[in-house]
Amino acid sequence: MLPPSARLPPIKRIAAHPPASLNDALQYLSLIYSPPVRGTRRRRAPTSSSVNVSTSTSEEPGADELRTDAFERAYAIKWLTALVSTLGDEQEGAPGSAASAHAHLVETAAALLAACAGTSAAGVVTRTLIFPAAGAPVRIALTDAPLDNADYASVGAQTWGGACVMSEMIAEDPGAFGLGRTAPAGGAPLRLLELGAGTGLVSLVLAALASRATAPVEIVATDYYPSVLANLARNVRANYPSSPPPIITTVPLDWAAFPGTPHAQRPCALQAPFDVVFGADIVYEAPHAAWLRDCLATLLRRPAATSISASDPTPAPVFHLIIPLRATHAAESRTVEQVFARTAPPGTGGSGDDDAAMALVIEDMQTLVCTTETPGEEVTYAYYRIGWGPAAEV
């Protein structure tokens, strides 16, 4: 890739360039300072009307070097500032179509200015992700912290494709994920939990949609590693800078240790069970599925012994899990099927009314195929709905 100082139209001639040329320049800067997340463009039926605006592609060669070049970053900021100033002045007297084109360019440039300003020599990446939703799109500002070479687990401070795919699904159909219910009189808030939250994208999308609903919602975003938790809290503050009560609580959670921790010693936010739990791209080592099951045994609310009436607004407790089907982690992916045995057929595996016979089981599994802008390249995800049911006989 050419550096911005060589690739962008001259600052003094910005006004002379057509909108299409300026838009190309902005897209080029996006590849450097707001790189898209790979593997998030779901393959859809031709009749689908929704648009996945979280574009995905492999990072351009040389982008990382340019991103950490202080001179080129300063030049990009100067160029974007000039574009906003120039088009902002011209927008007032422009005809309708031209004014609209200028407004789009100014909005894109302003978002890139924030991304450039947040990009440090350490490799921090800021981006704005937009998800189509009823009423208005959900817009999330996100920061990916640089990888810590001394701690492989710091990958949690990066945004992964599974979180983008899950976030888009939630934005498209909030009701399928427990949101959008009517508030019961004096009812308890809907409690939502994200496991392995990473940059917090899923929790932030849930919060944005919950703020549009009438029913009270509590969201708890968890992770384990200090560097990831610090970046998670930073992203929450960036999107919700107002004072308490916070819409999202961030809490450390060690999956391996949590089940054996006495109830009184657990964080207050984790002492009551949750109605819906979310996990995106969080199974990448052999023990993870078993650790998750043992945590969910107390974290996911158990359904009432009697059937819930259709008028009850409380959703059935469920764990939504998305994992990529990577060839390099095939064994780890298979552990999900092994640990969360599928629901037993009727008449086998125990009675659903017998609490002792209930287990966390796979209720449904779908395969999601995502394309990238690299010809012929695909990323495949498995989406599981896991809930309480009669365990299959082994």
Side-chain angles (χ1 to χ4, degrees):
M1 298 181 72
L2 289 173
S5 57
R7 169 67 170 75
L8 297 172
I11 289 177
K12 293 183 178 180
R13 298 185 58 194
I14 285 178
H17 282 260
S21 174
L22 296 176
N23 186 65
D24 287 344
L26 291 173
Q27 294 305 311
Y28 157 80
L29 286 177
S30 294
L31 291 175
I32 302 174
Y33 299 107
S34 186
V37 182
R38 176 180 175 274
T40 62
R41 182 175 297 168
R42 276 188 290 153
R43 179 181 291 167
R44 303 171 182 274
T47 55
S48 176
S49 60
S50 59
V51 178
N52 182 1
V53 294
S54 318
T55 57
S56 60
T57 182
S58 300
E59 184 157 322
E60 291 291 325
D64 189 58
E65 290 79 4
L66 292 175
R67 188 177 306 124
T68 56
D69 188 315
F71 172 82
E72 293 300 335
R73 186 171 65 254
Y75 184 86
I77 290 174
K78 183 178 180 181
W79 188 88
L80 288 165
T81 302
L83 184 146
V84 171
S85 176
T86 300
L87 296 189
D89 292 340
E90 291 186 353
Q91 186 176 341
E92 295 182 3
S97 59
S100 177
H102 285 181
H104 172 74
L105 291 170
V106 168
E107 181 181 0
T108 304
L112 275 170
L113 268 173
C116 290
T119 301
S120 72
V124 170
V125 173
T126 61
R127 53 168 63 90
T128 298
L129 297 178
I130 306 172
F131 300 94
V138 172
R139 183 185 297 266
I140 304 296
L142 215 58
T143 295
D144 286 9
L147 292 173
D148 180 355
N149 292 330
D151 184 2
Y152 77 94
S154 66
V155 296
Q158 312 291 302
T159 302
W160 293 92
C164 293
V165 172
M166 179 172 280
S167 296
E168 184 188 58
M169 294 170 65
I170 295 169
E172 285 180 350
D173 188 3
F177 296 87
L179 298 171
R181 63 179 187 144
T182 57
L190 181 74
R191 283 175 53 80
L192 309 178
L193 171 68
E194 185 180 6
L195 298 171
T199 58
L201 177 59
V202 171
S203 290
L204 290 166
V205 169
L206 289 169
L209 294 168
S211 66
R212 304 177 183 182
T214 58
V217 174
E218 294 178 356
I219 302 171
V220 178
T222 65
D223 215 294
Y224 173 64
Y225 297 95
S227 60
V228 177
L229 277 166
N231 188 60
L232 170 61
R234 189 159 49 239
N235 281 330
V236 171
R237 290 194 302 270
N239 287 272
Y240 297 97
S242 59
S243 58
I247 195 165
I248 302 175
T249 302
T250 60
V251 178
L253 176 58
D254 181 347
W255 302 341
F258 180 82
T261 303
H263 184 272
Q265 296 178 19
R266 296 173 180 175
C268 292
L270 300 179
Q271 291 186 1
F274 292 85
D275 300 293
V276 190
V277 181
F278 301 84
D281 214 338
I282 59 174
V283 178
Y284 51 87
E285 290 187 6
H288 285 172
W291 289 351
L292 288 169
R293 176 201 59 204
D294 295 344
C295 289
L296 289 167
T298 55
L299 288 172
L300 183 64
R301 175 177 58 83
R302 287 176 177 263
T306 56
S307 60
I308 299 175
S309 67
S311 61
D312 193 320
T314 305
V318 63
F319 173 40
H320 298 277
L321 174 66
I322 284 183
I323 60 171
L325 300 178
R326 300 187 183 100
T328 54
H329 290 78
E332 290 79 357
S333 301
R334 284 196 295 270
T335 60
V336 173
E337 299 280 347
Q338 296 165 355
V339 168
F340 298 99
R342 292 181 179 273
T343 304
T348 66
S351 168
D353 292 333
D354 183 1
D355 189 66
M358 299 291 280
L360 287 161
V361 295
I362 297 170
E363 298 176 343
D364 184 53
M365 182 272 192
Q366 300 176 32
T367 299
L368 309 174
V369 179
C370 295
T371 62
T372 75
E373 292 183 1
T374 300
E377 183 182 49
E378 294 179 341
V379 180
T380 303
Y381 298 93
Y383 165 48
Y384 296 95
R385 283 178 49 91
I386 296 171
W388 292 102
E393 294 181 348
V394 180

